[in-house]
Amino acid sequence: MASTHAMHHNRQAFIEFYRIRIEGLLSCLPHAGHELLAGRETRGLIRGIITQNVDGFHQRAGSESVAEPHGTLATVRCSLCQNERPSETYLAEEGTHCQCGGFMRPSVVLFGESLPQTALEQAEEWTNVATPLDRWADMVIQDMLIGSLLQVTG
């Protein structure tokens, strides 16, 4: 269901698939790992967060510098005019329709799409300016698996 094919050829199932995910995310909160990273960003200890997660929890915890190469379920966007709205609007009966007549879809990268250039460039910039200490800290955080469920749903 997380594909451009499903969005174009199985629209109602696509909508229901993402409505369930958005409802689930709205009922959850960021955890201590998200808050820890937001606090470190506020104190200038980290430049930013590069995440494959699409839940928007880093921002909800207070992080401002977040690169999301896989997009986010925190917003939906119009497939024609690119207008963005909060994802909870997608749950309404008319939540999949834009004023321009386009289809509102989750702001995530679907199978069949390329990763967004802006997020990739930001991630590359942060990685390129990382000091040896930053790289060591990154390895420590990866080894600690802050907040990882070690699972992917699809």
Side-chain angles (χ1 to χ4, degrees):
M1 282 295 113
S3 70
T4 55
H5 185 270
M7 182 173 65
H8 295 296
H9 300 288
N10 198 354
R11 176 79 43 101
Q12 195 55 44
F14 177 88
I15 291 168
E16 290 306 314
F17 177 83
Y18 278 106
R19 282 182 171 164
I20 290 168
R21 275 140 191 81
I22 290 168
E23 284 177 336
L25 283 177
L26 292 174
S27 70
C28 297
L29 296 171
H31 57 64
H34 297 107
E35 293 168 7
L36 174 103
L37 292 171
R40 289 186 178 186
E41 179 186 350
T42 300
R43 293 192 311 273
L45 299 174
I46 60 174
R47 277 184 197 83
I49 297 164
I50 305 165
T51 183
Q52 68 179 9
N53 296 332
V54 297
D55 53 27
F57 286 172
H58 288 292
Q59 292 90 333
R60 286 174 59 188
S63 292
E64 294 180 12
S65 299
V66 182
E68 298 172 302
H70 294 268
T72 182
L73 280 175
T75 61
V76 294
R77 71 172 188 270
C78 177
S79 57
L80 292 180
C81 72
Q82 302 305 309
N83 180 35
E84 279 194 345
R85 296 183 195 157
S87 62
E88 49 269 16
T89 64
Y90 200 70
L91 303 177
E93 184 67 31
E94 294 296 314
T96 61
H97 304 290
C98 184
Q99 293 172 336
C100 77
F103 173 66
M104 297 300 289
R105 44 116 352 139
S107 298
V108 294
V109 177
L110 301 173
F111 289 104
E113 295 179 322
S114 298
L115 298 176
Q117 194 62 34
T118 305
L120 291 175
E121 288 170 359
Q122 183 65 75
E124 182 178 18
E125 178 185 327
W126 288 339
T127 303
N128 287 340
V129 297
T131 66
L133 183 58
D134 291 333
R135 290 186 189 100
W136 177 83
D138 179 58
M139 287 188 298
V140 170
I141 288 173
Q142 286 180 26
D143 287 345
M144 289 173 23
L145 293 171
I146 295 176
S148 177
L149 296 176
L150 295 177
Q151 61 181 342
V152 176
T153 61

